[in-house]
Structures are given as C-alpha cells and as structure tokens.
Amino acid sequence: MRVLNLTVNGDATEVAAPAHWTLLEVLRYRMGLTGSKQGCDKGDCGACTVLIDGEPQLSCLTVAALAEGHEITTIEGLLPAHLRAGGEGPDPVQEAFDRCGALQCGFCQPGMILSARALLSENPAPTRDEIKAALSGNLCRCTGYTQIYQAVELALAEATGAEPASPSWAPGENPWAKTPEGNARPAVGAAGLTEGTGVAPSGGDSRTNGKAH
Ligand code: FES
Ligand code: FES
C-alpha cells in the first residue's frame, strides 16, 4: 500500500492504494470517479482517457504514482473547471455533444469529450481531418462517429462565433443557424445532459455495498 498525493480536478488529495495500481483504478475504486471508464483496460479503446496537464492520456496504462505532481482532469471536473473560468453551465464541448445527440450508450463519451476538449484548447481551428486524428484513439461502438465530429465542429463554431455547418441529417435546413435573438437554436440531442457527459453515473457504474461495478 502506498499513499499517493494526487491533484484531481483542482483538488489536492491523499489516497492510499496498492503501489501497482493504475490511475484508472485509483480514480474509480478509491475516489469514486467512475466517469473514467474501464473498457479494454489495455490501451485499445480510449474509454479511460483523462487529461494530465491538459494532455489526453490513457489512465489504464498510467501507474498512479507517476501522476503525482501533475494536474489530472476527469470528466467530472470539466463542468466545474468551466465555471471556475467564468463560464456558465457545462463545458461547451459537453453541451455540443448533448445538442448533437453524439452518443448512444454513452460509454465512450467521457474519453471522447476530454480528447476533444484537449484538441480545442490546443488548436483553435482544427479541420475535420484533424478532429478525426485527435479522436482516433477513442473508439465508439455505437454512433458511427459522424455526429461526434459534428459536435466538435459545433463547439468550435460556438467558440469562434462562426455559423455552424448544417448537420448531415438535416440537409436544406440548419437547426443550429444563428437567430436574430442570438442563441435560441434548438437542442437536438438527448434531453438534458446525459450520463456520458459525466454528470450522472453509467448504469454499469451503479453501486452495491459501496463498490462501483
Ligand atoms: S480502458 Fe484504457 S484504453 Fe481501454
Ligand atoms: S460507445 Fe456507445 S455511444 Fe460511443
């Protein structure tokens, strides 16, 4: 057992865990941060992606002790970070994923959103190919990716004040076109923020006897 000093979502914390545990195990099974998903647990799927010093990293391949001294951001920390930065509501990437309906089961979304957030923080004007490349380590078994890419482009358009492109499923009309009132475009995604944005636990992360499953 080892006592780790980790900074997670802006909070410095001490947590005891076996010395060989990965960051993903510590986040999920010591800290209860189950937004980081345990998919393949061997570096293939990207579901466990967190930001370490702003860079997307696979927490299932990161020994927790090596994360000491670094800023770790999980999906649970994205909305509070946006509020601390003076924003309102969820991070624009989370909101865009919700409005685009860029999810089905939601399992991939925390990692996908964090990879997208890292991209937009680093590159203010990525092309579709650059978005694809940035998200290539995050696998989605459900959506076919198109609405995910469109969500990143919607977040980008919102950030720059540009007119969002019309989504492929609405040719001839653009539900995201700006209105005279400014920001009165309808939400087209799932109603309200969904579990994939980290606001609520996934069904597979329900707790029984204090354990996350
Ligand atoms: S759980 Fe880490 S890459 Fe799949
Ligand atoms: S894996 Fe189900 S929405 Fe991506």
Side-chain angles (χ1 to χ4, degrees), residues 24 37-48 58 60:
L24 178 62
K37 301 305 179 200
Q38 194 163 20
C40 65
D41 214 20
K42 55 184 179 183
D44 288 337
C45 72
C48 64
L58 299 175
C60 76

Side-chain angles (χ1 to χ4, degrees), residues 70-129:
H70 298 278
E71 295 280 343
I72 301 157
T73 304
T74 70
I75 192 68
E76 291 90 346
L78 213 50
L79 185 153
H82 184 58
L83 296 179
R84 281 198 302 274
E88 293 181 5
D91 184 282
V93 177
Q94 290 176 298
E95 188 170 343
F97 271 68
D98 184 47
R99 291 180 60 205
C100 290
L103 76 163
Q104 289 182 31
C105 77
F107 192 83
C108 69
Q109 297 302 292
M112 198 75 81
I113 287 171
L114 287 170
S115 291
R117 165 41 59 212
L119 170 68
L120 295 186
S121 296
E122 190 172 280
N123 181 349
T127 63
R128 172 65 71 97
D129 283 346

Side-chain angles (χ1 to χ4, degrees), residues 12 25 29 41 49 63 65 72 86-87 93 101 105 107 127 130-131 137 144 149 158 169 172 187 189 197 201:
E25 290 172 311
Y29 305 121
D41 214 20
T49 300
V63 175
I72 301 157
V93 177
C105 77
F107 192 83
T127 63
E130 288 172 328
I131 293 169
Y149 301 145
E158 294 280 358
W169 44 263
T197 62

